[in-house]
Amino acid sequence: QVQLVESGGGSVQSGGSLRLSCAASRYISSRYCMGWFRQFPGKEREGVAAIHSDGRTTYADSAAGRFTISQDKSQKTLYLQMDDLEPEDTAMYYCAQAGWGSAGCSLLPMIFPAWGPGTQVTVSS
């Protein structure tokens, strides 16, 4: 069982930055994808960014240019640097992990079996 724990959420003003972290107890397999997802109240969870075990990244259009996903494999930690935050980014943010092949990571939540409990991000105008 993979345990994932997010941290780094909080409240920030529009235009500000936050850095989310996700600590993993282990990796599902030597080839994996880890991703950040978010959920707005009353909405389905959506993908934000993902990173393959080989370092390739995938971004949602809403995140490209403002958010940066990275990982420290020695610490089994995933990061999401979020800059130029907008009130529309207010959501619960989750990290997730899935075993993967050689293809680039998907941002479809249903493909990821392991999830953290989430961390709240609130951006005020």
Side-chain angles (χ1 to χ4, degrees), residues 7 9 19 26 32 47 50-51 62 67 75 101-102 108 112 115-116 122:
S7 61
R19 188 194 197 200
R26 66 179 183 89
Y32 60 85
I51 188 165
S62 59
F67 296 179
Q75 298 295 320
S102 58
L108 289 175
F112 289 76
W115 291 85
T122 301

Side-chain angles (χ1 to χ4, degrees), residues 4-114:
L4 301 171
V5 180
E6 303 94 338
S7 61
S11 297
V12 65
Q13 290 198 319
S14 182
S17 298
L18 281 174
R19 188 194 197 200
L20 305 183
S21 299
C22 172
S25 60
R26 66 179 183 89
Y27 291 120
I28 287 177
S29 66
S30 59
R31 283 196 301 186
Y32 60 85
C33 280
M34 287 195 72
W36 288 101
F37 299 80
R38 64 187 181 183
Q39 190 165 19
F40 305 109
K43 301 288 188 180
E44 302 241 334
R45 203 165 291 187
E46 66 179 37
V48 175
I51 188 165
H52 195 277
S53 49
D54 65 11
R56 286 176 290 155
T57 56
T58 304
Y59 289 95
D61 289 345
S62 59
R66 297 189 302 128
F67 296 179
T68 303
I69 190 170
S70 62
Q71 61 181 340
D72 182 339
K73 298 173 78 170
S74 67
Q75 298 295 320
K76 297 186 181 60
T77 301
L78 179 72
Y79 301 100
L80 185 68
Q81 177 67 41
M82 303 188 294
D83 297 318
D84 194 22
L85 283 161
E86 304 165 349
E88 293 73 26
D89 296 313
T90 295
M92 184 70 80
Y93 284 72
Y94 300 88
C95 73
Q97 187 185 137
W100 216 259
S102 58
C105 293
S106 167
L107 292 177
L108 289 175
M110 67 178 70
I111 297 175
F112 289 76

